[in-house]
Amino acid sequence: MLSDEREQFRGDARRRLLLVGGCLAAGFVVLGGRLFHLQVMRGGEYRTLAEDNRISLKPITAPRGRIFDRENRTLVENIPDFEVVVVPELAGPLRMLLKRLGRHIDLTEDEIKHLLQQARKQRSFLPLRVKSHLSWEQVSSIEVRIHEFPGVDLQNQSVRYYPFDALACHVLGYLGEPHEGERKRFSRINFRAGDLVGKSGVEQRFEEFLRGREGVLEMEVNAVGRHVRELHRNPSEPGEDLHLSIDSDLQKEAQDALGEEVGAVVAMDPNNGEILAMVSTPSYDPNQFIRGFSHAQWQSLSTDPHRPLINKALQGQYPPGSTFKIVVALAGLAAGKLEPKEQVNCGGYLVKEEQRFYCWRRTGHGSVGLLQALTQSCDVYFYKLAERLGIDAIERQARRMGLGAATGVNLDGERPGLIPSRTWKRKMFKTGWFPGETLITGIGQGYVLTTPLQLATMIATVANGGTVYRPSLLKLQPDQSPEVMTRNYFSAYHLDVLRQGLEAVVHDTTGTAYKSRLEGNIRSAGKTGTSQVARHRREKSGQIIKTTNEKLLDHALYVSYAPVEKPRIAIAVVVEHGGHGGTAAAPVAKRVLERYFNKYGHSA
Amino acid sequence: MNDSGSGNAWLSRGGTGSLNWPERLRRFPWSLLLLLLLTISLGFGVLFSAVGGEHNLWLFWRQIIQTGFGLSILFGVALVAGEKIYRRFAYLFYTGSLLLLAITMIMGSVGMGARRWLELGFFRLQTSELMKVALILALARYFHDRAKAGSQGWRDLGIPFLMILVPMAMIVKQPDLGTAVLLAGVGMGMIIVAGISWKVLLTLVIGFGASMPLAWNGLHAYQKQRIITLFSPERDPLGSGYHIIQSKIAVGSGALTGKGFMAGSQSQLDFLPERHTDFIFSVLAEEWGFFGGVTLLVLYVLIILRAFLIAEMANDRFGLLTVVGATLLFAIQVVVNVGMVLGLLPVVGVPLPLISYGGSSMVTIMIAMGLLAHVNLHSRQHGRSV
């Protein structure tokens, strides 16, 4: 009886023990399953997270490539820039230290206060930047006393330096912090805080070439970010140097020749498209972008109506004026619709559809052939030629001379200019082409727009006998051949006639650029242009009323090449609102050409 | 034999009487001790790595000394006392522990924002640890004395519930949610085995579920935070979610075979908080992988199975329930601690038995193991033991 009762108890207790044991078993099964899930199924994922925790990557910056001119003169280099840092953990009382340090590097009370605030925000074993862009005096003054400043260190980073300041600033460009578009464009580059990127010029175009590849230092860090040991070092690859086709002497001469004028000069080697000088005024000092601007400085630079940040050589679009007559003449000769000796009478104007089209010389040029028409830039002659050719032929020839489309020079932001056509007109204005529009196109007015770079390409094509080379800012390597965009096959006779006309522009006493002929016996050829900015107001007699508003003054243009026997340099000059091409633009070209021949001699 | 309690204890013919010393040693559950020593040795290996090897070796040595002290307590509890001593003094021990808890509440020393310790001059007594053992013995005594066939209804359970709830409330106030939950689990398990009626059990489970929202409101803000964090640690990765995230990374990155001894980056580079105490399982899992983690879990399961065998063979209800209580004290700590480390349970301060660094918890666990051995020693069916 007693035994039965005991067995009953035991049985009951056993069942109940099983319940408790079952609950525990369930618990352990869940733990085991969870362990399996975390470690076996998701182990790889957590391994990655653990590595991310453990490894801190520190970039090793790659020195940016330097930029040289065609004679290996340094246009852009990297110079050391010193900054003082302090590791607060090692410094002792920070305020005292900063005060003592301040005597050597001119720290203001406010700066010290700001630094102390910063120090509170960051971990005390990380260096705190006290001051950047130290002068040599400041560096050496700290250097000799470094033992007096525990935790203080001088750090050396390299920054861009442009030794010739504003020289060729538009070609070189400047650096700045990358914006969203640039981050997308250079998606292969991993930008970091404080990284700079080329914002314009070759600094921008050759960003990836100049930049090099940054290295990386893999460091093991602990939970608070303190460096434990170096795991692996992947050194950086320095950026490559860039050798430009620019000749600093010509560049400087062209810049000086433009002086205070607003405009652009492009000089190139007509035999391969190498750009020898490319100037746009006003200029700026790219070093300022490194040192940093004051707000006022930046304001004045970015809101200047003369737009110093724009490279007018390829972003400024100007009516080519009479320089376009070269294109029209070639179109006429090529089409067989122009007999050079044919005389045309200029009475000062031409009537077309009850409208008077004036020659620049109110009194007329009388009877002129092609030679005189070019020399004296007779408008009536070219009205008639254009009328005879029609817009289609002019457009075709202009495009074959590198006009009306971006040349594809190795700089960003190039504008295409404009060569009007019937289809273009219909698309833009929904109207047909008027014959009068052909006439003014014939003298490079109306809708026609060209950049100084296109004009230089055009005159270089005449100089080399018909080949349109793609202009380039890079010096051709000995094994490289220049890139040809178009080849024109002009007959030797036609070319000769045209060139005689252009030579007479400079060397004939009646030529529009006679005053800009070169010293010595170097003969150059050229064509002036004066492009109308606003419709001239004329008196009843037809006389132009001289304007005093500088903004309405004509642009002065000049294209030229030399020497005529075997041209080695072609040049285009635009002076905004400069007045007449012969008086404002040609003298600029003259200075550049003279500098060229002084330097390189008459014959190559 | 004259039982101290009234009622019909189901082994009235009494136990083993007084055993001589060779007999006591012969009857000692050496297999249990072997399992414990294996686990402890594994723990030493993990702790050595967790304290950073050579750098904090003193912590490691201290743990060895504490373990030695713990083992001697185990032997003392198991071998010295006669069969009925624990039953006889159960209530006195319980009352004393309750008093000490009360004193701690009033004048205990504060550490880590909680009032848990009583300064006793030469050492600090964590009175809630005493209470764990006291509660087990007192409940066992209560059910031993009032044993009756069949299930027990509400009327029989009033006093046991009070015995659990009073110290629990005091410990929650400290605040030490982990220990309070542990007491509840141990007490509840003992009541189930003692013979609660299934109807009452069901009502309690439902009632417990229904009172959760109320309990939620009673929690401290930091305790609520821990529970919220459990379910979405990413919400506050640098704050309260940090422990759980880093622990899961450590465990997960251990993968199948682990990173090797002293080679766990999470452990060695300070990413793991509390890695030599409550989060030591992460160190094991990171450095020894799934194999290491499962090995430890298997050792725990073997210890628990061995304990259940002892329970099964206990002479009387007091013995049975003492073993159940001691086993649950051990097992629940394992489940709660590992569950917390694996991100299954909220972060409550429960150490991992036999592995975590710390003297107080080591002593408590050793007392519990000593009680197991003591019951085994005096079991008449000893011959059947493994």
Side-chain angles (χ1 to χ4, degrees):
Chain A
M1 177 65 206
L2 196 67
S3 176
D4 283 354
E5 197 185 348
R6 192 191 312 152
E7 282 314 306
Q8 194 188 340
F9 265 121
R10 272 203 183 282
D12 189 47
R14 198 173 285 154
R15 272 201 306 279
R16 288 167 184 277
L17 264 179
L18 271 175
L19 174 70
V20 171
C23 288
L24 286 178
F28 274 92
V29 167
V30 168
L31 293 183
R34 174 70 165 184
L35 209 53
F36 185 81
H37 172 76
L38 287 180
Q39 298 196 287
V40 181
M41 290 167 70
R42 294 177 66 191
E45 191 182 317
Y46 281 113
R47 189 58 69 101
T48 314
L49 287 174
E51 291 295 286
D52 287 352
N53 260 349
R54 173 176 82 102
I55 294 170
S56 153
L57 301 178
K58 195 180 168 197
I60 306 171
T61 49
R64 200 174 169 87
R66 292 165 299 171
I67 303 177
F68 300 99
D69 85 340
R70 66 184 300 113
E71 288 165 334
N72 286 328
R73 281 171 289 194
T74 310
L75 296 179
V76 187
E77 62 185 320
N78 304 306
I79 56 162
D81 182 49
F82 286 94
E83 59 183 23
V84 189
V85 297
V86 60
V87 178
E89 189 182 67
L90 305 174
L94 194 58
R95 177 186 291 277
M96 303 277 287
L97 180 110
L98 288 176
K99 276 202 170 143
R100 284 192 293 129
L101 203 57
R103 282 180 222 136
H104 302 280
I105 56 170
D106 308 324
L107 284 179
T108 65
E109 198 57 43
D110 275 355
E111 282 174 310
I112 291 178
K113 205 177 280 173
H114 182 71
L115 284 166
L116 288 169
Q117 267 171 13
Q118 264 189 295
R120 273 194 287 277
K121 278 185 222 147
Q122 71 176 42
R123 297 194 181 276
S124 64
F125 57 84
L126 294 177
L128 174 73
R129 179 182 298 148
V130 177
K131 195 171 185 128
S132 306
H133 309 307
L134 295 184
S135 69
W136 278 109
E137 292 77 28
Q138 290 172 329
V139 171
S140 48
S141 140
I142 301 274
E143 187 101 69
V144 296
R145 294 177 182 82
I146 196 79
H147 62 276
E148 296 172 21
F149 301 112
V152 169
D153 194 15
L154 284 166
Q155 287 190 350
N156 168 7
Q157 65 183 84
S158 97
V159 295
R160 227 45 178 154
Y161 176 61
Y162 304 83
F164 296 101
D165 298 334
L167 185 76
C169 59
H170 296 98
V171 172
L172 301 174
Y174 56 90
L175 302 182
E177 298 206 348
H179 56 62
E180 207 41 54
E182 281 150 349
R183 286 174 190 278
K184 266 189 201 130
R185 175 172 165 186
F186 303 116
S187 56
R188 294 193 299 127
I189 300 173
N190 180 18
F191 289 107
R192 305 179 177 286
D195 259 12
L196 298 179
V197 66
K199 288 289 194 179
S200 73
V202 291
E203 290 270 35
Q204 178 185 32
R205 169 57 73 97
F206 296 98
E207 174 65 34
E208 283 163 294
F209 184 82
L210 289 165
R211 186 176 196 87
R213 208 180 48 77
E214 82 176 2
V216 70
L217 184 61
E218 268 185 32
M219 286 189 312
E220 188 166 76
V221 293
N222 67 7
V224 287
R226 191 190 286 272
H227 170 181
V228 179
R229 67 194 161 111
E230 184 178 320
L231 294 174
H232 179 68
R233 182 189 286 267
N234 196 358
S236 63
E237 274 172 27
E240 298 206 44
D241 292 341
L242 207 55
H243 292 269
L244 299 185
S245 57
I246 295 291
D247 180 323
S248 302
D249 296 322
L250 295 192
Q251 182 77 24
K252 177 151 181 25
E253 192 68 39
Q255 191 150 345
D256 292 350
L258 269 177
E260 296 292 298
E261 298 285 359
V262 177
V265 176
V266 176
M268 63 166 74
D269 183 335
N271 303 306
N272 57 20
E274 277 184 355
I275 295 171
L276 303 173
M278 179 184 271
V279 177
S280 173
T281 51
S283 60
Y284 59 88
D285 181 357
N287 286 315
Q288 270 197 301
F289 285 83
I290 304 300
R291 290 192 293 261
F293 287 101
S294 71
H295 183 68
Q297 278 174 318
W298 174 248
Q299 276 294 312
S300 82
L301 196 59
S302 59
T303 60
D304 187 327
H306 297 309
R307 307 180 71 188
L309 295 175
I310 295 292
N311 184 354
K312 297 182 178 67
L314 45 95
Q315 294 176 309
Q317 302 186 108
Y318 307 92
S322 298
T323 61
F324 195 66
K325 288 171 181 167
I326 297 170
V327 175
V328 179
L330 277 169
L333 290 165
K337 292 188 177 170
L338 172 57
E339 167 49 49
K341 297 218 166 56
E342 184 188 337
Q343 297 291 300
V344 169
N345 187 56
C346 168
Y349 62 89
L350 179 82
V351 179
K352 174 90 179 173
E353 291 172 335
E354 297 172 359
Q355 209 184 329
R356 279 188 178 191
F357 291 85
Y358 286 95
C359 185
W360 67 268
R361 186 188 274 178
R362 223 348 239 113
T363 53
H365 290 95
S367 181
V368 288
L370 177 62
L371 190 76
Q372 296 94 325
L374 285 170
T375 312
Q376 301 170 29
S377 203
C378 173
D379 292 336
V380 170
Y381 182 94
F382 282 93
Y383 289 146
K384 287 187 173 164
L385 178 55
E387 186 181 20
R388 196 185 292 172
L389 279 168
I391 184 64
D392 300 341
I394 296 172
E395 184 215 347
R396 209 176 313 125
Q397 189 60 48
R399 291 197 181 280
R400 291 189 64 80
M401 306 290 286
L403 306 179
T407 63
V409 70
N410 25 31
L411 283 181
D412 285 359
E414 187 184 6
R415 306 294 301 271
L418 175 65
I419 300 298
S421 68
R422 292 176 199 281
T423 45
W424 170 84
K425 178 92 190 287
R426 202 167 301 120
K427 224 158 89 186
M428 290 301 289
F429 299 99
K430 312 267 184 277
T431 60
W433 185 262
F434 300 119
E437 291 171 337
T438 308
L439 265 57
I440 57 168
T441 303
I443 62 159
Q445 293 287 161
Y447 303 119
V448 193
L449 290 175
T450 54
T451 66
L453 179 64
Q454 286 173 328
L455 291 176
T457 307
M458 184 269 283
I459 193 64
T461 303
V462 173
N464 67 35
T467 307
V468 185
Y469 292 106
R470 191 183 301 284
S472 169
L473 282 161
L474 294 188
K475 191 180 178 189
L476 278 175
Q477 298 308 303
D479 57 335
Q480 269 182 317
S481 50
E483 191 184 343
V484 175
M485 295 165 74
T486 317
R487 260 184 226 285
N488 295 284
Y489 296 96
F490 303 123
S491 86
Y493 169 63
H494 291 162
L495 208 54
D496 203 43
V497 170
L498 178 75
R499 284 174 170 174
Q500 274 179 30
L502 297 179
E503 192 177 338
V505 168
V506 185
H507 292 278
D508 193 278
T509 49
T510 62
T512 51
Y514 179 68
K515 286 182 185 147
S516 295
R517 65 195 181 284
L518 302 179
E519 304 287 326
N521 51 1
I522 298 164
R523 294 181 76 81
S524 68
K527 183 74 198 79
T528 59
T530 305
S531 77
Q532 217 171 293
V533 175
R535 178 175 280 273
H536 288 155
R537 290 184 299 140
R538 291 168 192 269
E539 289 172 5
K540 276 214 178 82
S541 62
Q543 195 63 43
I544 298 173
I545 300 170
K546 283 248 163 86
T547 174
T548 48
N549 185 344
E550 193 204 287
K551 285 244 147 186
L552 299 177
L553 214 59
D554 297 338
H555 294 320
L557 295 90
Y558 185 62
V559 295
S560 174
Y561 60 85
V564 291
E565 308 82 44
K566 194 169 186 331
R568 281 150 54 205
I569 177 169
I571 185 168
V573 178
V574 174
V575 179
E576 281 187 14
H577 310 296
H580 195 270
T583 55
V588 173
K590 179 190 169 185
R591 274 185 64 174
V592 177
L593 294 179
E594 276 181 343
R595 183 84 184 82
Y596 180 89
F597 290 107
N598 280 340
K599 179 172 178 179
Y600 294 104
H602 184 187
S603 50
Chain B
M1 278 286 146
N2 189 14
D3 274 335
S4 59
S6 59
N8 48 348
W10 40 266
L11 279 174
S12 52
R13 268 197 292 164
T16 48
S18 60
L19 295 164
N20 59 15
W21 275 93
E23 188 65 9
R24 291 185 189 194
L25 286 176
R26 199 180 61 76
R27 286 166 166 257
F28 188 86
W30 295 107
S31 57
L32 178 68
L33 185 70
L34 179 70
L35 287 170
L36 293 180
L37 289 177
L38 277 176
T39 312
I40 287 168
S41 328
L42 181 66
F44 283 156
V46 180
L47 186 71
F48 183 83
S49 173
V51 298
E54 316 289 322
H55 304 299
N56 287 309
L57 217 52
W58 64 275
L59 275 171
F60 181 73
W61 290 120
R62 227 176 117 159
Q63 177 75 348
I64 288 184
I65 292 164
Q66 282 164 354
T67 306
F69 181 60
L71 282 171
S72 62
I73 286 180
L74 187 159
F75 282 113
V77 168
L79 297 173
V80 174
E83 192 190 353
K84 310 236 164 47
I85 296 284
Y86 296 120
R87 190 169 74 205
R88 197 163 296 148
F89 291 104
Y91 286 154
L92 188 65
F93 187 30
Y94 179 83
T95 316
S97 298
L98 208 56
L99 261 168
L100 286 174
L101 256 186
I103 294 170
T104 311
M105 261 183 82
I106 299 160
M107 48 181 292
S109 62
V110 177
M112 314 264 281
R115 191 180 286 271
R116 293 175 186 171
W117 290 276
L118 208 55
E119 297 286 353
L120 288 181
F122 56 100
F123 76 109
R124 295 200 306 174
L125 183 68
Q126 199 171 343
T127 47
S128 55
E129 295 291 330
L130 275 181
M131 184 39 93
K132 290 174 187 171
V133 179
L135 181 69
I136 292 170
L137 293 175
L139 280 176
R141 164 84 188 266
Y142 180 85
F143 287 115
H144 177 90
D145 290 353
R146 276 155 197 74
K148 64 174 187 180
S151 49
Q152 324 218 5
W154 287 112
R155 204 170 309 171
D156 310 298
L157 296 176
I159 290 173
F161 278 141
L162 220 63
M163 286 163 74
I164 300 170
L165 287 174
V166 170
M168 232 183 106
M170 290 162 91
I171 291 169
V172 166
K173 271 273 168 271
Q174 279 185 351
D176 181 359
L177 199 59
T179 304
V181 167
L182 196 59
L183 285 186
V186 169
M188 205 52 220
M190 288 178 72
I191 288 176
I192 289 171
V193 176
I196 191 174
S197 93
W198 300 115
K199 220 184 337 181
V200 172
L201 183 61
L202 200 68
T203 319
L204 279 177
V205 169
I206 293 169
F208 178 72
S211 67
M212 280 311 275
L214 242 139
W216 174 258
N217 285 330
L219 290 178
H220 277 258
Y222 87 94
Q223 292 166 332
K224 286 184 188 174
Q225 190 57 47
R226 281 176 177 181
I227 294 171
I228 294 170
T229 303
L230 171 71
F231 296 110
S232 54
E234 287 73 19
R235 226 163 56 181
D236 187 10
L238 293 176
S240 54
Y242 186 78
H243 284 209
I244 293 178
I245 291 174
Q246 295 302 338
S247 169
K248 276 164 76 176
I249 291 175
V251 172
S253 64
L256 198 62
T257 54
K259 298 175 186 169
F261 182 57
M262 303 280 297
S265 61
Q266 289 284 104
S267 320
Q268 302 303 329
L269 299 171
D270 304 344
F271 288 99
L272 267 181
E274 319 253 344
R275 63 184 178 282
H276 63 285
T277 57
D278 290 357
F279 278 84
I280 197 163
F281 187 81
S282 313
V283 179
L284 169 75
E286 183 184 23
E287 298 192 344
W288 300 106
F290 183 65
F291 292 141
V294 166
T295 301
L296 182 62
L297 289 183
V298 165
L299 278 172
Y300 281 137
V301 168
L302 289 176
I303 291 169
I304 293 165
L305 284 177
R306 182 69 187 85
F308 269 70
L309 268 179
I310 296 174
E312 226 267 317
M313 292 179 306
N315 271 350
D316 54 15
R317 275 169 78 79
F318 181 79
L320 167 72
L321 290 174
T322 302
V323 172
V324 168
T327 309
L328 282 174
L329 183 66
F330 179 81
I332 293 175
Q333 283 197 54
V334 171
V335 172
V336 169
N337 177 277
V338 178
M340 159 184 102
V341 166
L342 300 184
L344 289 171
L345 295 172
V347 178
V348 290
V350 172
L352 186 62
L354 305 175
I355 309 284
S356 282
Y357 173 85
S360 297
S361 76
M362 177 64 82
V363 167
T364 311
I365 289 295
M366 288 303 187
I367 292 174
M369 293 296 128
L371 288 173
L372 287 182
H374 182 261
V375 171
N376 192 68
L377 220 66
H378 295 281
S379 162
R380 276 192 305 111
Q381 298 175 346
H382 180 76
R384 269 173 54 193
S385 78
V386 180

